[in-house]
Amino acid sequence: MTKLKNDLLLRAAKGENVERIPVWMMRQAGRVLPEYRAVRAKTNNFIEFVKNPELAAEVTIQPVDIFGVDAAIIFSDILVIPEAMGLPYQMVESKGPWFENTIKTKTDIDKLIVCQGDTIDYVNQAISLTKKQLDNRVPLIGFAGAPWTILAYMVEGSGSKTFSKAKKFLYTEPVLAHLLLEKITQSTINYLKGQIAVGADLIQLFDSWAGVLSPQQYGEFALRYIRQICEAITEVPTTVFAKGAFFALEEMSKLPCSALGLDWNTDADWARKQVGPNITLQGNLDPCLLYADFDTIKTETEKMLTEFGTQRYIANLGHGLYPDIEKEKAKFFVETVKGFGV
Ligand code: CP3
């Protein structure tokens, strides 16, 4: 394996000393970049785009060139897993994902396949191509949705404020829920190992809907499957980002992962006390702060960096960039972190 020219992210994830805080942004590939929209316009829809390794590699690298971030994240989506397991989706313009069929019964679950490492071949091809084109400038992050969040889409069939159908499934069909979560977990482990085999340098799990569950449900239906994935992925560092799961932070610090992502509701000092010194924290600027003026962005970003400290820390937003954030503001956030002395 050739050495990365910039391995700040990997060193920070592993708890090694860094000379500067590494920075990247969730949803940096796409959305705020006119350059992304130009490439997107070459395809008919989002899913076709995701399945095109050449275009996926191109937009994965754009934020490295344009923002100067310390990592690339492969352009894909967490919903490629449900599709590969047998539940196709559509991405409805300005609305979000929509599934024609949802999971209701044991028969529905039995029909799903367990993905192998090469099942979602277009993502592996996109990773291989991106690694080649990145030429070891920065690490490449691979990712997947955490099992609860994937179940939530498979049962709910679309986005939702409450995910009440998915939560109802946990309360009324717990045995089926576990059966489904086991299948998703196995698919995810195989999928992520496939990504690592073709070059992913770090893995992030997105549990975007962690915050709708009670602490008890989160332990039973979410954390134990995240644990299985973290235990299985030993080849590269792993980051777990569970949005809204402040109530589980102490428990999560016992996961065999390298880093925990925090949303903007979480206080830095409080988080560090919950997790102890042996885990890296990632986050957590409110993405909406990037609507503010440049001075405010600088002040608030530096305040965040001071609170988290320079070691065992990766600067990021507390959730993904919103589509209407100005590209120059996102770039300024990255530059502010890179200009902050250690
Ligand atoms: O971070 C990156 O830049 C890499 C690419 C990436 C995308 N989706 C591309 C995308 C990643 C890491 C994701 C993860 C993802 N997808 C999550 C977890 C992170 C989170 O935000 O909590 C979730 C919940 C999804 C599901 C999803 N995909 C939704 C709800 C939507 C529609 C609404 C939205 O947020 O835009 C998508 C579409 C999607 N995924 C877009 C992109 C760039 C927008 C599609 C477009 O270009 O029209």
Side-chain angles (χ1 to χ4, degrees), residues 24-31 36-37 40 45-46 49-50 59-60 63 72-79 89 91-97 141 143-145 149 153 158-159 163 204-209 241 243 319-321 323:
W24 67 282
M25 292 174 290
M26 289 189 276
R27 297 294 193 97
Q28 66 188 19
R31 295 196 140 186
Y36 164 85
R37 290 193 282 270
R40 166 92 152 82
N45 60 58
F46 178 73
F49 188 0
V50 163
V59 300
T60 298
I73 178 162
I74 191 66
F75 179 77
S76 183
D77 202 86
I78 62 168
L79 301 175
Y89 69 103
M91 195 59 79
V92 184
E93 211 62 50
S94 69
K95 272 207 162 142
I141 302 171
F143 73 89
T149 287
Y153 282 107
S158 67
F163 278 91
Q204 176 153 324
L205 283 178
F206 286 92
D207 211 357
S208 306
W209 300 108
F241 172 67
K243 186 167 183 305
H319 200 193
L321 284 163

Side-chain angles (χ1 to χ4, degrees), residues 33-336:
L33 290 177
E35 292 85 348
Y36 164 85
R37 290 193 282 270
V39 179
R40 166 92 152 82
K42 292 183 194 167
T43 59
N44 291 319
N45 60 58
F46 178 73
I47 294 172
E48 199 179 295
F49 188 0
V50 163
K51 291 186 177 176
N52 183 318
E54 283 78 24
L55 298 185
E58 187 178 348
V59 300
T60 298
I61 296 172
Q62 281 176 348
V64 179
D65 294 333
I66 297 167
F67 295 135
V69 282
D70 294 307
I73 178 162
I74 191 66
F75 179 77
S76 183
D77 202 86
I78 62 168
L79 301 175
V80 300
I81 281 255
E83 181 185 69
M85 291 176 75
L87 215 61
Y89 69 103
Q90 293 172 30
M91 195 59 79
V92 184
E93 211 62 50
S94 69
K95 272 207 162 142
W98 186 77
F99 289 81
E100 185 167 351
N101 300 307
T102 56
I103 299 295
K104 296 182 197 74
T105 63
K106 177 153 190 305
T107 316
D108 296 337
I109 299 171
D110 288 342
K111 274 196 262 177
L112 297 172
I113 67 147
V114 171
C115 298
Q116 301 305 312
D118 56 358
T119 305
I120 313 180
D121 193 46
Y122 56 87
V123 173
N124 291 342
Q125 284 183 35
I127 291 177
S128 298
L129 206 56
T130 305
K131 281 295 286 182
K132 211 181 287 164
Q133 293 177 2
L134 266 179
D135 193 23
N136 286 306
R137 283 194 287 156
V138 291
L140 178 61
I141 302 171
F143 73 89
W148 150 247
T149 287
I150 297 301
L151 174 145
Y153 282 107
M154 292 173 100
V155 172
E156 194 84 23
S158 67
S160 160
K161 282 206 177 97
T162 56
F163 278 91
S164 54
K165 274 191 212 139
K167 286 178 72 182
K168 178 180 171 188
F169 192 69
L170 303 187
Y171 281 122
T172 57
E173 299 287 357
V175 175
L176 292 190
H178 282 299
L179 203 62
L180 178 54
L181 287 163
E182 271 161 28
K183 242 174 163 170
I184 295 169
T185 301
Q186 202 48 59
S187 291
T188 305
I189 290 171
N190 295 341
Y191 173 53
L192 291 174
K193 284 195 179 274
Q195 293 189 25
I196 295 164
V198 291
D201 297 295
L202 180 147
I203 293 296
Q204 176 153 324
L205 283 178
F206 286 92
D207 211 357
S208 306
W209 300 108
V212 301
L213 296 184
S214 71
Q216 190 275 332
Q217 279 188 316
Y218 197 68
E220 182 181 348
F221 295 102
L223 264 188
R224 62 190 262 197
Y225 297 100
I226 291 179
R227 170 170 288 278
Q228 284 178 25
I229 296 171
C230 292
E231 280 168 355
I233 305 295
T234 52
E235 303 87 340
V236 298
T238 45
T239 300
V240 179
F241 172 67
K243 186 167 183 305
F246 63 89
F247 56 81
L249 197 58
E250 191 189 351
E251 207 47 41
M252 291 179 76
S253 70
K254 297 175 199 152
L255 289 169
C257 65
S258 312
L260 291 174
L262 303 174
D263 60 36
W264 67 88
N265 294 116
T266 318
D267 175 77
D269 287 339
W270 180 85
R272 184 47 83 195
K273 283 198 189 90
Q274 297 294 305
V275 306
N278 297 325
I279 206 151
T280 296
L281 291 173
Q282 173 176 281
N284 71 343
L285 196 85
D286 183 353
C288 287
L289 207 114
L290 301 183
Y291 294 122
D293 57 71
F294 288 98
D295 283 349
T296 310
I297 294 173
K298 187 167 195 310
T299 311
E300 291 300 314
T301 301
E302 289 182 344
K303 186 163 157 266
M304 171 180 86
L305 304 178
T306 307
E307 283 172 8
F308 278 103
T310 54
Q311 306 298 324
R312 272 261 181 224
Y313 174 57
I314 299 161
N316 204 315
L317 307 173
H319 200 193
L321 284 163
Y322 298 123
D324 61 343
I325 288 172
E326 287 167 50
K327 164 183 163 182
E328 288 312 318
K329 298 275 174 80
K331 187 164 190 214
F332 185 70
F333 165 70
V334 173
E335 284 165 356
T336 303

